[in-house]
Amino acid sequence: MPKKKPKDIIGKSMDAVLVDFRANWCGPCQTMDPIIEEVLDELGGKIKLLKLDIDKHPQMAQQFAVRSIPHYILFKKGKILWRKGGILPKRELEKALKGFI
């Protein structure tokens, strides 16, 4: 099975997809990793996660006007449902995402 392009995952997924715009050198991104995984686990896998390295996909970051990382955008069928940048407390992330499942 061919690896899906991020653009296809975002545009065609019937599930909500949380795109994590990040970079390997970004400390706050790494701080958020366990928080995101925990929240998505607690939401029963109803939201998929796509980690997008801005160094490897600069055009995607540019397309969605991501100016700083970490930056999170929740998509469903290509539409933006929610977006937020920076470090988020677990409760805030959970509350925001819960509204979309």
Side-chain angles (χ1 to χ4, degrees), residues 24-50:
N24 291 335
W25 47 263
C26 166
C29 299
Q30 288 156 5
T31 302
M32 283 301 294
D33 279 349
I35 297 170
I36 291 171
E37 285 176 24
E38 208 174 305
V39 168
L40 295 183
D41 260 5
E42 287 171 17
L43 297 175
K46 292 189 177 86
I47 294 177
K48 306 285 176 251
L49 176 63
L50 174 63

Side-chain angles (χ1 to χ4, degrees), residues 63-80:
Q63 184 183 341
F64 297 109
V66 172
R67 307 248 180 277
S68 62
I69 52 172
H71 195 94
Y72 307 98
I73 304 180
L74 185 67
F75 292 91
K76 191 165 189 172
K77 294 185 221 159
K79 290 187 175 50
I80 295 175

Side-chain angles (χ1 to χ4, degrees), residues 6-7 10 19 21 50 52 57-66:
K7 199 169 69 188
I10 291 168
V19 181
F21 289 90
L50 174 63
L52 209 58
H57 301 278
Q59 70 290 353
M60 294 284 290
Q62 198 176 352
Q63 184 183 341
F64 297 109
V66 172

